[in-house]
Amino acid sequence: MSDDAPKKSPARRRFLAQGAAAAAGILAGGGAPGRSRAEAAAPPGIPDWMKEPGADVGSQTYGQPSRFESGLIRNVPKGLKQYTSASSRTPLQDLDGILTPNGLFYERHHGGIPDIDPAQHRLLVHGLVETPLVLTLDDIRRFPSESRIHFLECSGNPGFEAIKAGRTASDLVGLVSCAEWTGVRLATVLREAGLKPDARWVVAEGADAAAMTRSLPIAKCLDDALLVYSQNGERLRPQQGYPLRVLLPGFEGNMSVKWLRRLNVTAEPAFSREETAKYTDLMPDGTARQFTFVMEAKSIITRPSGTQRIAPGFHEITGLAWTGRGKISGVQVSVDSGRTWQDAALQEPVLTRALTRFRLPWTWDGQPTTIASRAIDETGYVQPGFADLTAVRGLNSFYHNNAVVPWRIAASGEVANGYA
Amino acid sequence: MATRRVAALTGAVLLLGIAGAARATERLGIGRPATEAEIAAWNIDIDRDGRKLPPGSGSVAQGRAVFEAHCASCHGSRGEGGIGDRLVGGQGTLATAKPIKTVGSFWPYAPTLFDYIRRAMPLNAPQSLSADEVYAVSAYLLHLNGLVSDETILDAKSLASIRMPNRDGFVPDPRPDVRP
């Protein structure tokens, strides 16, 4: 990175800053003395980058974002006790469209990121099958392939208490991302091994230092589950399970086991630590819900959103909606603190178990207000408010918080978490 | 004539269709069969009733030493938590405003303890403990939680026979459960 690249904020944020003067200040540096580079490039000046050829073709053999976008990075929490079992979030408020760039896809690892040589990697399929199989990556890529766009979301996105602490859209629900996944249907691989009649679960194990283990219900395995080797056209990144992972569309992210090395077909779940001690939802009566797989409908306004600052006048409200139960059928937006709701426009294509982009044109009159979105899915399910959710589930269930996120807008134009 | 030809054609198309469907479920001949030895070497899954627990045994006293050496730096010398999760106490708190979820208060099945410690702990050196050491540290943790005496020696049979306090604390998913 060059010295005069902006240190912190993504350049995109400048559109939200008040006035071009502030932007010019941020981008200044390295220009002619007495006259900023931005001023020199504005009409009637001719910018420097038009006066000499740019970098050569192939000067980056794997292309990188503009140096002015160096602030567009994963949201890594500061001051954690350890980073081996932790998570980082997608900067949702700084992205457009529905696809998450591979380098910004959220992370949740339980034993760090393994550095796997695909030539040495094997998938073992065993248990209640006719023919236990050993498959290499080359073998797996020989199966009929399929590409689909799906979101992936961590089940604690955010925790119930954390919803009051997050400042940005990323802090609040940045443990969701969306990609085009390519691989083979899990059903195809299971049929290759031949399922025995009492096969009910498939215990998936990762080749990481947690040997992450989850039990996958057979109905999902035979429905839309994939064994994935590519993401957004290129091979999986190590953070997303290179060279092979499970993808269970619409189910909590932990079940889409990364670095997959073993599928044990069983009659019963493994009752592993991750499906008993963790990823279960504690209710006020002391019972815990188990095998709570589906991620219910959810949405968030990404612009304007927390820590941004807007000026009175026109704004496009935009954000993302998704549901583990299928397609988003609508998103409603309130700009008057929840008194009335209006339909937002959905960007096509609206895909099954994928992020869906919504938009609503809005003119802010400069008065303090709260804006929020709520998603409705094709089953008729409506995203609940936090009070509705906690009235049923209390405050200690941690996982599967899909509450509406309100953004409070102050007279100054500062946008902040409406729960804070 | 024409009708008969159409019927014959339809029959042929149907036959092709069925053959196509059959091919879809036919094996493609990809990969190679796994041997019993390969499966045994890789399969470390322990089910909740402990039928797959391996040979070996360990005592509470041995477990105390293993825990001090490999676990206490993250979980505290008495399992009170630190960098790692709290492992001890909390029984009777699950239905309160401040529930404490630990091995003793929350985990439903004792064999899961063996499964998890063997596959994932200690965090900096997973799959490094012997079966005896995993039995021993499991015994120590269960002892710290008041679930076995300090004389206890655990093996496959005795670990599987322990009934955890929260065994019946789990319920199926009732969602959708919230109506705005």
Side-chain angles (χ1 to χ4, degrees), chain A residues 201 214-215 252 269 271 275 279-281 289-294, chain B residues 171-173 175:
Chain A
W201 295 82
R214 286 297 303 260
S215 308
E252 62 184 9
F271 295 97
E275 52 204 32
Y279 299 96
T280 52
D281 313 54
R289 295 174 177 178
Q290 192 172 35
F291 305 128
T292 42
F293 299 146
V294 174
Chain B
V171 296
D173 184 1
R175 297 174 305 156

Side-chain angles (χ1 to χ4, degrees), chain A residues 82-93:
Chain A
Q82 47 78 25
Y83 287 82
T84 304
S85 175
S87 57
S88 75
R89 296 170 166 81
T90 295
L92 296 172
Q93 66 276 8

Side-chain angles (χ1 to χ4, degrees), chain A residues 82-393:
Chain A
Q82 47 78 25
Y83 287 82
T84 304
S85 175
S87 57
S88 75
R89 296 170 166 81
T90 295
L92 296 172
Q93 66 276 8
D94 294 319
L95 297 177
D96 296 313
I98 61 169
L99 294 175
T100 310
N102 288 341
L104 297 174
F105 208 92
Y106 87 85
E107 298 174 278
R108 171 67 174 108
H109 317 309
H110 295 72
I113 306 154
D115 181 25
I116 297 177
D117 175 357
Q120 294 181 46
H121 191 74
R122 298 288 182 275
L123 174 65
L124 174 64
V125 185
H126 70 105
L128 298 174
V129 294
E130 301 294 343
T131 311
L133 291 175
V134 176
L135 298 160
T136 65
L137 263 295
D138 287 342
D139 290 336
I140 288 161
R141 284 197 285 268
R142 284 180 59 205
F143 284 105
S145 61
E146 192 165 319
S147 296
R148 275 189 263 129
I149 294 172
H150 291 301
F151 76 84
L152 193 69
E153 184 182 19
C154 181
S155 60
N157 186 34
F160 275 58
E161 291 293 349
I163 201 168
K164 295 168 187 163
R167 297 175 68 235
T168 66
S170 177
D171 293 343
L172 284 163
V173 297
L175 294 176
V176 66
S177 304
C178 185
E180 184 204 50
W181 309 94
T182 300
V184 49
R185 277 186 177 250
L186 177 50
T188 304
V189 175
L190 293 175
R191 288 193 180 111
E192 184 72 11
L195 289 176
K196 290 187 172 174
D198 47 350
R200 294 288 177 277
W201 295 82
V202 178
V203 180
E205 182 189 79
D208 59 335
M212 173 53 61
T213 306
R214 286 297 303 260
S215 308
L216 323 178
I218 197 74
K220 186 70 170 175
C221 294
L222 297 179
D223 181 18
D224 60 351
L226 291 174
L227 295 190
V228 165
Y229 41 80
S230 285
Q231 177 181 346
N232 290 332
E234 63 180 0
R235 297 286 184 255
L236 287 168
R237 296 284 174 91
Q239 293 86 347
Q240 269 63 60
Y242 180 85
L244 186 70
R245 76 172 304 163
V246 175
L247 185 81
L248 299 187
F251 278 22
E252 62 184 9
N254 181 249
M255 299 178 76
S256 289
V257 172
K258 295 179 285 193
W259 314 294
L260 181 72
R261 78 161 198 161
R262 196 160 62 83
L263 295 169
N264 183 7
V265 181
T266 59
E268 281 210 332
F271 295 97
S272 69
R273 181 252 200 182
E274 312 300 338
E275 52 204 32
T276 53
K278 305 287 179 180
Y279 299 96
T280 52
D281 313 54
L282 187 64
M283 294 294 116
D285 68 358
T287 64
R289 295 174 177 178
Q290 192 172 35
F291 305 128
T292 42
F293 299 146
V294 174
M295 300 307 293
E296 297 188 291
K298 194 163 176 174
S299 68
I300 184 147
I301 295 172
T302 54
R303 207 165 57 234
S305 64
T307 72
Q308 295 172 352
R309 187 187 177 100
I310 61 170
F314 177 80
H315 294 275
E316 180 180 74
I317 293 174
T318 184
L320 296 163
W322 62 98
T323 172
R325 292 203 177 93
K327 287 190 174 74
I328 287 294
S329 59
V331 176
Q332 296 177 334
V333 171
S334 175
V335 295
D336 57 5
S337 308
R339 277 184 289 278
T340 62
W341 296 81
Q342 49 192 312
D343 289 333
L346 302 185
Q347 170 69 57
E348 294 290 339
V350 176
L351 300 169
T352 297
R353 301 184 178 95
L355 293 187
T356 298
R357 172 71 56 179
F358 63 87
R359 299 186 177 94
L360 183 78
W362 174 55
T363 299
W364 184 45
D365 59 9
Q367 296 301 308
T369 189
T370 296
I371 62 172
S373 64
R374 66 183 180 200
I376 302 151
D377 73 20
E378 62 180 338
T379 70
Y381 176 89
V382 181
Q383 181 185 5
F386 190 59
D388 299 319
L389 196 67
T390 55
V392 176
R393 301 187 198 163

Side-chain angles (χ1 to χ4, degrees), chain A residues 396-407:
Chain A
N396 293 312
S397 63
F398 188 82
Y399 303 101
H400 302 105
N401 174 3
N402 65 325
V404 164
V405 173
W407 297 119

